[in-house]
Amino acid sequence: MYRLGVARIFWLTKPFGFLGRFFFEKAGIDMNTIDNQASTTADVLVIGFGKAGKTIAMNRAEQGDRVILVEQSPKMYGGTCINIACIPTKTMLVDSERGVKYPDSVEHRDNFIATLNKVNKQLADDAGVIVVDGHAEFTGTDSVLVTGGQEELTITATTIIINTGSEPILPDIPGIDSSRVIDSTSAQHLEETPESLVIVGGGPIGMEFATMFAQFGTKVTILDRGAQFGTAFDDDIAQALKKDLEAKGITIINNADVTGVEDGANSVSVRYSDGDTEHSMDATNVLFAIGRKPATDGLGLEAAGINTTSRGAIAVDEHLRTNVEGIYAAGDVNGGPQFTYVSYDDHRVILSDRWSDGSRVTTGRLIPTTTFTNPPLSTIGMGEEDAKTNAASRGHTAEVRFKEIADIPIMPRPKIVGTPEGVAKFIIDVEDDQILGATLYCVDSQELINLAAVAMSNKIPASVIGDTIYTHPSSTEVFNALLA
């Protein structure tokens, strides 16, 4: 369905997309080109309703540009984070912590996300963005063809933003098409709580879903291909995290290379190898969480001459320009860190380059991360070994400050809310009094890490953060405990 503008509606006799096609006179669509095809122009064309795309679209529409935003599915108004990732999964994670049953959590999730989806569409409409439902494919360096039914729409634009996001990776192994194989999207809509679940992948997505389903009462096993669990973190952090996950009843198996999946009568059998021996494990479902890839299939990038990387991402420079003048790529599709807040910063980089002085770039961005286990684990900057090497290269000393959360008397909030697990770790450049890296594995760490990011980005001395007065009882008192 095309929804273009806010004036008189033209009904066409042939269906388009899900519900038919609406063209609005104010949108300036030329309906006299060829049968079943229309064309229009835009100052800005955004492909994908993600964080960067929708924010640029609304900004430029409010500045008076004619902006068209093409989204493949009305179910994705607002983007991946709003509809199938960050927001819905965190909603279900919190429900699981509070003892809500899985089916009730699914209903809660769906009602909440439906509201957010509708609000995002309304925000775009109110800003004057022309939203078009359909699949966009490049036909040239400044044009795309939008399809979704019997009619087609050609859009020519001066500036094009590709913001199509990413999609789950599924391995090419026997049995992968089993109905009991799920990904991070379908895991949110199972018919009932799985009695047992095998999660393939020990990264952030795998750990989040392991935590969530374990709290829903599912017996969870993580099959991690790596030789050691949690290699993205320092060893002491990884060990603390593994201990807490296992305390929740989660089994973690490393050196597990999954080779196939086979349906049983009421279960699925997962085959894996540890290098020497073949093993199999039965479960109600198997969730593949081995990463996400840029969503570029069907975009027709070759028609526009847009370059991609060896990993399939759209190649961009520090201003997020592609190799084609006027075309940018933002968010997951450009191969950068796959976080919605990075996509939000991408929009600022593009606005700066295209409509301002170009001073904002992606080079040197300091990006905090959070893995939503319970408690959450947040990081920023360098790990211990890299920090020590970095400091030594400058003739400085890197000091490690590490405490278990339960052993910090000045920080009672984790105990008050009943989650005293976790650790806090800072690596400080002694001579410069600067934070080189931090890991906060504790209640509220997703908030705390942002203060560390502000300090690091603005060269605020660690001791200043440590000497600041914080409310009590609060998690921010961890800074008093380790940085003063």
Side-chain angles (χ1 to χ4, degrees):
M1 182 170 65
Y2 291 145
R3 297 179 177 89
L4 307 179
V6 291
R8 181 156 47 93
I9 298 175
F10 290 86
W11 290 85
L12 281 82
T13 59
K14 294 185 178 181
F16 184 96
F18 298 91
L19 302 174
R21 185 172 67 159
F22 297 152
F23 287 103
F24 291 81
E25 193 172 56
K26 187 176 179 180
I29 307 298
D30 179 6
M31 292 303 298
N32 299 309
T33 51
I34 60 174
D35 187 33
N36 296 338
Q37 184 169 336
S39 64
T40 190
T41 61
D43 297 308
V44 181
L45 167 63
V46 177
I47 305 173
F49 215 132
K51 189 70 167 182
K54 67 183 178 184
T55 313
I56 292 172
M58 288 186 281
N59 176 282
R60 295 313 304 169
E62 289 168 349
Q63 295 298 316
D65 282 347
R66 176 178 167 78
V67 181
I68 298 177
L69 192 163
V70 178
E71 172 51 55
Q72 190 162 256
S73 169
K75 294 180 180 180
M76 293 300 290
Y77 290 157
T80 298
C81 180
I82 292 293
N83 293 284
I84 59 174
C86 326
I87 306 302
T89 60
K90 305 310 173 287
T91 298
M92 295 183 73
L93 182 64
V94 171
D95 279 349
S96 71
E97 293 172 10
R98 293 175 175 173
V100 176
K101 301 299 183 184
Y102 175 83
D104 295 330
S105 181
V106 172
E107 182 178 4
H108 174 209
R109 170 229 184 272
D110 288 352
N111 291 336
F112 180 35
I113 298 313
T115 299
L116 294 181
N117 178 284
K118 182 178 180 180
V119 167
N120 271 265
K121 174 59 166 57
Q122 190 62 54
L123 288 171
D125 288 344
D126 291 347
V129 176
I130 301 166
V131 177
V132 176
D133 298 338
H135 175 75
E137 182 176 351
F138 280 93
T139 55
T141 58
D142 63 352
S143 61
V144 302
L145 179 65
V146 182
T147 57
Q150 290 178 307
E151 289 84 24
E152 299 176 344
L153 174 66
T154 296
I155 304 172
T156 303
T158 306
T159 302
I160 300 177
I161 316 295
I162 305 171
N163 189 216
T164 49
S166 60
E167 55 193 5
I169 296 172
L170 290 176
D172 184 15
I173 58 174
I176 195 66
D177 57 349
S178 165
S179 62
R180 292 185 178 273
V181 170
I182 57 177
D183 59 22
S184 57
T185 301
S186 54
Q188 301 170 46
H189 284 104
L190 298 174
E191 293 183 0
E192 57 185 5
T193 312
E195 181 179 337
S196 56
L197 176 67
V198 169
I199 298 179
V200 181
I205 297 175
M207 285 188 277
E208 178 179 334
F209 277 92
T211 301
M212 181 179 80
F213 276 103
Q215 292 174 165
F216 277 132
T218 299
K219 180 182 178 182
V220 177
T221 301
I222 295 176
L223 297 180
D224 188 6
R225 190 173 185 176
Q228 183 177 340
F229 179 77
T231 53
F233 312 116
D234 287 343
D235 288 346
D236 48 4
I237 303 297
Q239 290 305 309
L241 175 60
K242 183 178 182 181
K243 177 183 176 183
D244 290 341
L245 290 173
E246 290 175 339
K248 295 181 187 301
I250 299 168
T251 301
I252 300 171
I253 300 175
N254 284 99
N255 280 319
D257 184 13
V258 174
T259 57
V261 175
E262 185 176 350
D263 278 332
N266 296 298
S267 64
V268 62
S269 179
V270 183
R271 299 190 302 275
Y272 66 95
S273 169
D274 62 9
D276 298 318
T277 308
E278 293 290 330
H279 305 269
S280 66
M281 178 178 297
D282 293 339
T284 309
N285 293 98
V286 54
L287 165 61
F288 279 87
I290 57 175
R292 298 177 65 87
K293 62 181 181 179
T296 59
D297 289 348
L299 281 178
L301 300 178
E302 61 283 353
I306 298 171
N307 291 339
T308 57
T309 70
S310 60
R311 299 176 64 86
I314 295 176
V316 293
D317 64 12
E318 62 182 358
H319 298 278
L320 299 177
R321 308 168 186 143
T322 68
N323 62 299
V324 179
E325 172 62 30
I327 301 180
Y328 295 79
D332 294 2
V333 76
N334 67 29
Q338 294 178 344
F339 304 115
T340 191
Y341 49 91
V342 172
S343 182
Y344 182 79
D345 191 62
D346 281 359
H347 107 269
R348 293 184 287 207
V349 172
I350 293 173
L351 287 179
S352 173
D353 184 69
R354 193 65 170 172
W355 293 281
S356 188
D357 61 5
S359 59
R360 195 172 190 115
V361 295
T362 60
T363 306
R365 291 195 292 195
L366 190 62
I367 300 172
T369 71
T370 297
T371 299
F372 283 88
T373 49
N374 184 20
L377 194 163
S378 303
T379 67
I380 190 168
M382 291 178 275
E384 181 175 339
E385 293 306 315
D386 286 343
K388 287 179 176 178
T389 300
N390 176 275
S393 70
R394 294 178 286 109
H396 290 191
T397 304
E399 178 185 354
V400 178
R401 302 181 188 178
F402 179 97
K403 283 186 179 293
E404 293 192 11
I405 297 301
D407 294 337
I408 304 178
I410 197 176
M411 183 190 176
R413 174 168 162 74
K415 301 180 183 69
I416 291 171
V417 300
T419 310
E421 298 89 352
V423 298
K425 181 176 184 177
F426 290 90
I427 304 102
I428 309 298
D429 184 313
V430 175
E431 287 75 14
D432 284 347
D433 193 19
Q434 294 289 312
I435 302 171
L436 298 177
T439 299
L440 296 169
Y441 171 40
C442 61
V443 167
D444 301 325
S445 73
Q446 77 279 10
E447 304 287 351
L448 299 174
I449 204 68
N450 295 322
L451 179 54
V454 171
M456 294 172 70
S457 296
N458 293 279
K459 305 297 183 183
I460 300 172
S463 59
V464 171
I465 302 300
D467 288 339
T468 298
I469 298 173
Y470 301 104
T471 56
H472 179 82
S474 71
S475 295
T476 47
E477 290 172 300
V478 70
F479 297 115
N480 292 145
L482 274 80
L483 299 182

